[in-house]
Amino acid sequence: MKKLLAVWAFVVGIALLTLPAQAGNQLAVGLSGYDAVSFHEGTPTVGEARVNHFWNGAIWYFATTENRDKFAENPANYAPAYDGYCSWAASQGYKAPGDPNFWQIVDGTLYVQVHQRAQELWQADIPAHIVSGDENWPRIHPF
């Protein structure tokens, strides 16, 4: 029994040594590092890593400490819909990354699209796409 246990421990040890190294402590960066508050001010600006706030599983960068503090006070007012994923894709039932170069504020909410064509499709019927995106998001969000 001892020999079997020793062989098993040896095999497990070798298996662990052959696993790829894991880069731990990785955080998602919200809005690709853009300052979420700056969109609401009409001038999207890349934030600075040193001016940040952790919220909703991501680290958010800001151009100023004032913007960081505004966001920290009420993140839901500034964070993009669908966690910054493409709003057009969400309305169609799937996830695609959002590109902060394609965005729109609708009724105080920031919506981001993946590219110009997605933005055009989104803008064709924004109210219907918001309804569809809101309905789809709980189902597609965990994936």
Side-chain angles (χ1 to χ4, degrees), residues 17 52 92 109 137:
L17 289 174
N52 66 69
Q92 301 305 299
T109 300
W137 188 245

Side-chain angles (χ1 to χ4, degrees), residues 63-80:
T64 66
T65 56
E66 292 81 12
N67 282 2
R68 179 200 56 209
D69 295 345
K70 284 181 188 178
F71 185 91
E73 203 171 289
N74 195 349
N77 277 357
Y78 300 103

Side-chain angles (χ1 to χ4, degrees), residues 1-140:
M1 182 68 160
K2 286 184 181 180
K3 285 185 180 180
L4 182 60
L5 191 55
V7 169
W8 179 81
F10 177 76
V11 170
V12 169
I14 294 297
L16 290 174
L17 289 174
T18 62
L19 290 174
Q22 300 295 316
N25 199 24
Q26 294 181 356
L27 295 174
V29 176
L31 271 176
S32 300
Y34 275 73
D35 179 334
V37 175
S38 69
F39 286 85
H40 293 268
E41 296 170 345
T43 54
T45 306
V46 175
E48 297 182 30
R50 65 181 178 80
V51 184
N52 66 69
H53 179 72
F54 183 78
W55 177 75
N56 196 30
I59 191 161
W60 299 79
Y61 297 163
F62 299 92
T64 66
T65 56
E66 292 81 12
N67 282 2
R68 179 200 56 209
D69 295 345
K70 284 181 188 178
F71 185 91
E73 203 171 289
N74 195 349
N77 277 357
Y78 300 103
Y82 317 121
D83 291 340
Y85 284 92
C86 177
S87 53
W88 163 253
S91 76
Q92 301 305 299
Y94 65 93
K95 279 185 173 180
D99 181 335
N101 293 301
F102 303 100
W103 61 279
Q104 185 169 8
I105 305 274
V106 179
D107 296 329
T109 300
L110 173 61
Y111 294 91
V112 187
Q113 289 79 43
V114 65
H115 48 60
Q116 181 65 42
R117 180 67 180 140
Q119 188 168 44
E120 292 165 2
L121 293 167
W122 166 258
Q123 291 173 340
D125 192 353
I126 293 171
H129 296 311
I130 290 173
V131 169
S132 295
D134 290 350
E135 288 174 359
N136 291 335
W137 188 245
R139 179 178 49 80
I140 61 177

